[in-house]
Amino acid sequence: MHARMLDVVAPTAFVLMWSSAFIAGIIGVGAAPPLLVLLVRFTLAAIALTLYALAVRARWPRGAELGHVIVAGLLMQLVQFAAFYTAMAEHVSAAVISLVQGLNPVVIAVFAGRVLGETVTPRQWLGFGVGGVGVGLAVADQSRLSVSGLVLCVVGLLGLSVATVYQKRFTPAVDSRAATALHVAVSAPVVGLLAVAHNDIRVYDTGKLAESLVWMVLVNSMGAFLLLNALLRRWDTTRVGKLFFATPAVTAVLAWLIIDQPLRPLTVAGLAVGVLGMVLAAQRARARTPVREPVPA
């Protein structure tokens, strides 16, 4: 009975935690410039994750492996979140950003064809097209969406996707606990320099900024990460991956309830079509050469 309840509660909690990150991000960039929000988030998360990695005696990468972890971290954390948070500051809705991020498997499959020796099936190509239509429908319903905001979403998606393929190719055996701590640790000083260069060091609402950062660090960076690893130990990767299909819809509902972002019929239709595309595109490709599965990070 306990195990059965865990199989229901744990995935539900994970989807809510993951989806809430977009809401916390929008609240944060409403209280301070996006680069400053990221600087504080990365710094606090680096401290917390490093202490955790040390406590569990995680294996730290060295030499060339360390260099690859740094590159993956800058792509995964700095490029992805700097782009997404700046898009949030330009009034791109949480639902659209979540849907774009959810197309990560689509882009990964395209890159994996060349880098990892995998073929893209006709069903996956269909999923790519359907997913693109879904994003288009959701975007068409955003009256305040700018071209630059949409471009930033694409940049964020590419950062996440390239980082995922890079990790799978160059750091498949790295301990995910140490890698995640290093990812945010190396990204913090770079985003700090960018914030200073852009003079993005003002705070508009200290209270809201503090609340959003506490949630981002404890719930998103720590809680969701630990729960994800627990689920991966209990379930296979494919079953865990399917949880991400629910995040765009859950994010849209949370954004409507918590920050009053409108949930219009066209947005709902775009989310539904986009999730259908994600499901189709998630069909695992056939590998021409054996490839080691990545350690989640």
Side-chain angles (χ1 to χ4, degrees):
M1 184 68 178
H2 175 73
R4 200 172 298 171
M5 285 185 63
L6 184 63
D7 282 342
V8 174
V9 174
T12 302
F14 173 74
V15 170
L16 288 171
M17 285 181 178
W18 192 272
S19 300
S20 71
F22 300 96
I23 314 304
I26 286 179
I27 293 173
V29 300
L35 296 180
L36 179 59
V37 175
L38 275 183
L39 171 60
V40 182
R41 174 183 172 172
F42 286 163
T43 301
L44 295 177
I47 294 171
L49 289 169
T50 298
L51 290 174
Y52 170 69
L54 291 172
V56 298
R57 298 182 180 181
R59 184 184 71 85
W60 295 87
R62 298 180 179 179
E65 192 176 56
L66 175 60
H68 289 310
V69 169
I70 290 173
V71 172
L74 291 173
L75 289 168
M76 179 78 71
Q77 298 290 334
L78 179 65
V79 174
Q80 177 191 186
F81 287 109
F84 281 148
Y85 275 42
T86 305
M88 291 176 185
E90 295 194 10
H91 308 293
V92 181
S93 74
V96 169
I97 294 176
S98 176
L99 182 57
V100 171
Q101 189 196 60
L103 293 175
N104 179 42
V106 175
V107 183
I108 287 176
V110 174
F111 284 129
R114 292 185 175 275
V115 179
L116 302 176
E118 297 178 355
T119 57
V120 181
T121 66
R123 183 174 178 176
Q124 283 182 302
W125 283 117
L126 175 62
F128 301 164
V130 172
V133 170
V135 172
L137 288 173
V139 166
D141 205 25
Q142 307 299 306
S143 59
R144 301 180 67 185
L145 182 66
S146 64
V147 174
S148 60
L150 185 57
V151 170
L152 285 165
C153 286
V154 174
V155 171
L157 173 61
L158 289 175
L160 172 61
S161 302
V162 173
T164 303
V165 175
Y166 190 93
Q167 284 187 125
K168 189 171 183 178
R169 175 66 177 83
F170 294 106
T171 62
V174 172
D175 191 308
S176 63
R177 298 164 296 186
T180 305
L182 286 169
H183 285 177
V184 290
V186 299
S187 297
V190 180
V191 79
L193 290 174
L194 291 173
V196 171
H198 287 81
N199 197 29
D200 283 347
I201 53 177
R202 299 160 297 161
V203 176
Y204 317 127
D205 190 324
T206 305
K208 284 188 176 181
L209 177 62
E211 290 172 3
S212 66
L213 285 169
V214 167
W215 189 271
M216 288 183 214
V217 174
L218 295 182
V219 176
N220 303 139
S221 294
M222 293 293 294
F225 165 74
L226 294 174
L227 189 53
L228 175 61
N229 277 277
L231 288 169
L232 286 168
R233 287 193 298 269
R234 185 172 179 81
W235 295 352
D236 60 72
T237 306
T238 302
R239 186 177 178 185
V240 174
K242 290 178 180 177
L243 294 176
F244 290 94
F245 297 154
T247 57
V250 174
T251 299
V253 173
L254 289 177
W256 174 55
L257 292 173
I258 298 172
I259 55 177
D260 200 30
Q261 288 194 343
L263 193 57
R264 302 185 184 93
L266 196 56
T267 301
V268 174
L271 289 169
V273 173
V275 170
L276 174 60
M278 290 161 59
V279 173
L280 292 172
Q283 180 74 18
R284 188 181 296 272
R286 297 186 303 273
R288 291 192 295 267
T289 57
V291 178
R292 297 178 67 182
E293 288 294 324
V295 178

